[in-house]
Amino acid sequence: TRVRSSAASDVYKRQEVTLHSADTSITLAVGSDFAAVNGKLHPLGTDVIIQDGYTMVPIRFICETFGYDVLWENGAAYIAPLQ
């Protein structure tokens, strides 16, 4: 799956991150604990924040929305297609 994202300059100007695949669009607003997936709101459980110049987003939510799973093994995270 190919995923495109909004440019870093757009994140600071508009205070949101947008990710696109062929059939899915996720919009995450800085300071919000909800994401819009194809226009429908979904709870995130945590806020999207900018910290030390980096935009921090809930990677598990993003991966699962795009059809991937986050697996933990010995303290390391791995991303794999959902089966």
Side-chain angles (χ1 to χ4, degrees):
T1 300
R2 182 179 175 162
V3 176
R4 295 180 294 118
S5 68
S6 51
S9 60
D10 287 344
V11 173
Y12 290 106
K13 186 167 70 174
R14 295 182 9 215
Q15 295 289 292
E16 67 181 32
V17 177
T18 303
L19 305 162
H20 302 278
S21 70
D23 59 352
T24 304
S25 175
I26 303 172
T27 301
L28 304 150
V30 174
S32 177
D33 62 349
F34 283 86
V37 178
N38 295 334
K40 183 178 177 185
L41 290 179
H42 294 267
L44 296 173
T46 189
D47 289 354
V48 175
I49 62 170
I50 297 176
Q51 180 177 337
D52 298 325
Y54 294 95
T55 305
M56 311 300 266
V57 297
I59 195 68
R60 179 177 295 280
F61 176 84
I62 292 169
C63 289
E64 289 176 353
T65 299
F66 284 127
Y68 291 85
D69 195 10
V70 178
L71 309 170
W72 290 92
E73 184 177 310
N74 298 325
Y78 298 90
I79 298 172
L82 287 173
Q83 298 188 16

